[in-house]
Amino acid sequence: MKKLLLFALFIPTLSFGQTRTSTAAGDFINPLNWNPMGVPSSGDSLIVNHAMVMTTDIYYTSGRITITPNGSLVEDATDRN
């Protein structure tokens, strides 16, 4: 029973194709900056409402990124893929 409960707690972080909305400005890959909490992955629909900074390359081949008038998505000092 404990294993089943533990697995059920992690289903939202393992599923694909979620809609994630930024909750705070900061590092794009910080899971605490997204609702639901987690690192954005390929297939997710992202809504960027804050100033997000890409500090690493991401693998994103499907999904949608929407940047609202209050949001931004910028690279740090180097070009990112």
Side-chain angles (χ1 to χ4, degrees), residues 3 7-8 10-11 21 27 51 57-58 63 71 80:
K3 289 181 183 179
F7 179 73
F10 287 107
I11 287 175
T21 305
D27 192 353
D57 293 340
I58 63 167
R80 298 289 174 200

Side-chain angles (χ1 to χ4, degrees), residues 25-65:
D27 192 353
F28 182 84
I29 62 167
N30 182 348
L32 300 176
N33 289 341
W34 296 99
N35 182 24
M37 187 174 59
V39 177
S41 61
S42 187
D44 288 347
S45 293
L46 306 178
I47 301 171
V48 179
N49 291 325
H50 300 82
M52 304 301 289
V53 179
M54 300 284 297
T55 57
T56 187
D57 293 340
I58 63 167
Y59 180 73
Y60 197 83
T61 59
S62 65
R64 179 185 349 201
I65 299 175

